[in-house]
Amino acid sequence: MIFNGLRLRSLLLAGLLAGLLVLGVTAARGQGLSGAADSGAQQSPGGNVGGPFASSVPSNAVPGVLPVSLQEAIDRGLKQNLGPLFSNNNITSAQGQHLEYLSALLPNVTAAPFMDSSQINVGQIGFTGLLTLLAQLPGIGSHAPGVSIGPFNYFDARVSVEQSVFNWKAINGNRASRESLKAAKYSYQDARDVVVLAVGNAYLLVTADAARIDTATAEVMTAQAIFDQATDQVTAGTSPDIDALRAKVQLQTREQQLIQARNNFAIQKLVLARAIGLAPGQEFNLTDESPYQPFAGITLDDALTRAYASRADYQAAMADLRGAELARKAAAAGYLPSFAANADYGVGGATTAAASQVYDVRGTLTIPIFQGRTVRGDILQADARLEQSREQLDSLRAQIDTDVRTALLNLQSSADLVTVARSNMDLAAESLTQSRDRFVAGVTDTVEVVQAQETVAAANEQYIGSLYNFNLAKLSLARSLGAAEAGVREYFQGK
């Protein structure tokens, strides 16, 4: 039937959307569009989306039923979703790596006071000539092989400072690590945009399934009324039994679709709860519906300018390229000399009481002469990373152009589809009313009525799907512009 075909197509498209939630791209589809995000999430037959952006750290349970708006769902996702949490951990790791590189350029100050008392056997350390001499001395004789010298006492307490004066490799390595830290911070912001898209899409899917329950319930009530009319006419002898049978089949078909719609709604709520970090088993209701709010257009040139300036993933890619360029310079600096200064100051002597001032100052110039192929190997690896970073940046720039163009096209087409679908829904409802009137008047049989019911069901599904696609297109545009969090507040006013 038409309704079943449309419903199957809708489910398949929803599965595709969930699979692309964290890929960072938006792609056109038949009569809708695919959401975009930065991961390899895939949707299983049970509706669960894999990947960190579909998972979260559960929060504490709240008594009763929790009301959740679209903005509240996104706020919870930004706080509890594993995507931003993992990305924030990457920032901490990058900070640690940056401090390691920075430490090579900062002074290293140590203090290592020590006291020592030792006695040595002259034979043990190889002074055989001294043993021969001692053997000739009166009073020592044959005891010479076991003669020990000592004890010797030492005391030393100094503060040592080591400072790299010039090390071009360490300098560029530190600069590269700073760019890596910037890239990690940009990636965190991009992860937040992905969460907005992922949670927003999941929320819209729940509202769409809720609308399907409402329409399916209304269709069941209509089918029940038609069945009652057909049964009355069969009883009165004005219609054949086949009319009642057709109406009964149609009623049971609508009941099956209502059962399936309720099941899909419950499963999609679980997916949303998992993405935003609700406690397992937490009861909640959505407070926002999916109304049609016209979108104030934006030109393609303005959208692309905003996207290149604001997309966090693009900024992260540029920071990564700068880091790769600096890492290449650091690798090539392995051929250059370096200079370091060392100094220590303190007191030393045989005992603490006899200690006096001691110090040592020295500078060391290290000139690489031959280090095998280590530096050449480092340069080759840095060249490969640099070329990969350039290719990724070029690819991402082209992808952003595609994302923006796709989102704008989908916005326009889905807005037109909403208008047409709304008109079709009204026309289908009027057609069903006329068919029922004709059936009651005995002008036609239930074949025409059943066909009208199918048309109404298809029109309802098309309207729900087109409205979902339009709202998702707005989310996708906000994501493609790099302003997902602000876009939700701008494009969705609630209720």
Side-chain angles (χ1 to χ4, degrees), residues 381-393:
Q381 294 182 58
D383 284 338
R385 181 197 164 188
L386 178 58
E387 184 63 24
Q388 184 180 31
S389 297
R390 286 173 178 163
E391 293 170 350
Q392 289 177 341
L393 181 62

Side-chain angles (χ1 to χ4, degrees), residues 5 18 125 146 275 482:
I125 60 177

